[in-house]
Amino acid sequence: MKNHKITTYLQLHLFELKYNFFILLITFLYIFAVSYYFSNQLIYLLINILINKNLLTYFIFTNITEIFITNIFISVFITFFLIFQISLIQVWIFLSSGLFQHENLKIMKIYIIFIIFNFFIIIIISIKIIPNIWSFFLNINFSNKYIFNIYFEPKLNTYFNFIFSSFIYVFFLFFYFFILFFIIFINIFSIKIIINLRKIFFLKFMIISTLLTPPDFINQLFIFFIFIFIFEIFIYIYFLLSIYFFNKI
C-alpha cells in the first residue's frame, strides 16, 4: 500500500513536471513570435541610446539574409532571457507546496531583489556600458592621423553580437553573486565562511578572468580586480540588506 502511494505521488510529480514543460514550451513559442513581430521596434530600443548621443546614424549589411538572421537572433535572445525568469517562478511554484510559509516568504523576497537587479543590470548596460565602450573605441580608432583614409561602417549583426555578449558577461557575473547571496541567506553557508575563504574565491576569480580574457596580463588583471571589487561590494550589500531589509543582524 505504501509503495502504491509512493508510485502515485511520483506519477503526479512527473505529470506536473510534464505540464510545466509544455507551459514553458508554449510560452517560449509565443514570446518568440511576439519578439520577432516587433523586432524592428526592439532594434530601435537597443540602438536608441547611441542615436540620441550621435554615436550612430545607420547600419550596413553585407549578406542578403543578414537582417532576417539578426531578427531571429534578437528574438531568440530576448525569449531565452524572459523564459529564464519564468522558469524560476515555475520552479518556485513547484516547490512551494513543500515549503514552510516563512521559507516561501524568504524566496519571495530574494526573487523581488533578483527582479530589481535584473532591471538595474539592463539599465546599466544599455545606458552606461554600451555607449561608453562604443565611444571609447571610436575615439581611440580615430584619434590618430593616418596617412590613408579610414571609415567606420557599423555592421548590424556585429553590433548586436557585441551588445548581447556584453550583456551575458555582466548578467552571469551578477547571477553568480546572486546565487552566492542565496546560499548564504538560506544558511547553506554563513557569511563568515565566505569571508574566511577569501583566498579561495580570489583564486577562482583569477582562473575565471584568465578564461574570459585573451592571454594579456593587463586585461586579466583588470577583470580580476573587477571581480574582487564586486565581491567586496557584495559582502557590504549583504550586511546592509541583513540589517535593514531582513533584520538578521
Side-chain angles (χ1 to χ4, degrees):
M1 185 69 178
K2 185 177 181 181
N3 292 332
H4 177 70
K5 287 184 178 180
I6 294 174
T7 304
T8 304
Y9 287 140
L10 180 61
Q11 290 175 345
L12 289 174
H13 285 304
L14 291 176
F15 175 78
E16 187 175 355
L17 286 174
K18 184 170 67 173
Y19 177 74
N20 289 332
F21 172 77
F22 281 112
I23 289 177
L24 286 177
L25 180 61
I26 294 171
T27 306
F28 179 90
L29 295 175
Y30 177 77
I31 296 175
F32 174 79
V34 173
S35 300
Y36 184 80
Y37 183 79
F38 293 101
S39 56
N40 290 334
Q41 288 82 352
L42 290 173
I43 290 175
Y44 177 76
L45 288 175
L46 293 171
I47 67 174
N48 185 45
I49 186 67
L50 295 181
I51 294 175
N52 292 335
K53 293 188 176 184
N54 296 321
L55 296 174
L56 182 68
T57 56
Y58 65 93
F59 281 116
I60 65 168
F61 64 98
T62 57
N63 192 315
I64 194 65
T65 60
E66 184 173 324
I67 296 178
F68 173 72
I69 294 174
T70 301
N71 288 339
I72 291 179
F73 175 68
I74 293 171
S75 303
V76 168
F77 184 88
I78 292 175
T79 302
F80 271 112
F81 179 73
L82 295 177
I83 284 295
F84 177 73
Q85 316 295 327
I86 297 172
S87 299
L88 294 178
I89 298 176
Q90 289 287 93
V91 171
W92 175 40
I93 292 174
F94 180 76
L95 298 175
S96 61
S97 59
L99 299 175
F100 293 107
Q101 185 177 3
H102 70 276
E103 291 174 333
N104 282 319
L105 289 175
K106 281 185 178 181
I107 294 176
M108 187 182 300
K109 290 179 180 179
I110 292 173
Y111 186 74
I112 290 172
I113 295 173
F114 178 72
I115 294 297
I116 292 172
F117 272 99
N118 267 289
F119 284 108
F120 176 76
I121 291 297
I122 292 172
I123 292 171
I124 290 296
I125 292 175
S126 60
I127 295 180
K128 295 294 183 181
I129 295 178
I130 298 300
N132 288 332
I133 293 176
W134 189 273
S135 178
F136 173 77
F137 282 108
L138 276 180
N139 291 331
I140 286 181
N141 291 334
F142 293 98
S143 60
N144 298 322
K145 295 182 179 180
Y146 297 97
I147 59 176
F148 49 87
N149 294 327
I150 297 179
Y151 299 98
F152 175 59
E153 297 288 344
K155 202 164 180 285
L156 185 66
N157 62 348
T158 305
Y159 173 77
F160 285 105
N161 287 334
F162 165 70
I163 283 184
F164 292 140
S165 60
S166 301
F167 181 85
I168 288 172
Y169 288 140
V170 176
F171 181 79
F172 276 101
L173 179 64
F174 151 71
F175 191 70
Y176 172 83
F177 286 102
F178 182 83
I179 293 296
L180 188 61
F181 173 82
F182 180 76
I183 63 177
I184 293 172
F185 187 76
I186 62 176
N187 297 322
I188 296 179
F189 292 107
S190 67
I191 190 66
K192 292 181 179 179
I193 294 176
I194 300 297
I195 294 173
N196 292 332
L197 295 177
R198 257 195 177 99
K199 293 181 179 179
I200 296 177
F201 278 96
F202 289 172
L203 177 61
K204 185 190 295 186
F205 296 154
M206 178 60 73
I207 295 172
I208 294 174
S209 62
T210 303
L211 295 175
L212 289 178
T213 58
D216 184 355
F217 177 74
I218 296 177
N219 288 334
Q220 291 176 9
L221 199 62
F222 178 72
I223 298 297
F224 175 67
F225 281 120
I226 289 178
F227 271 105
I228 293 177
F229 175 75
I230 296 176
F231 180 76
E232 298 298 333
I233 292 296
F234 160 78
I235 295 175
Y236 179 72
I237 291 175
Y238 175 82
F239 280 117
L240 286 181
L241 291 175
S242 298
I243 295 172
Y244 297 107
F245 193 72
F246 298 110
N247 298 319
K248 291 185 63 176
I249 297 179

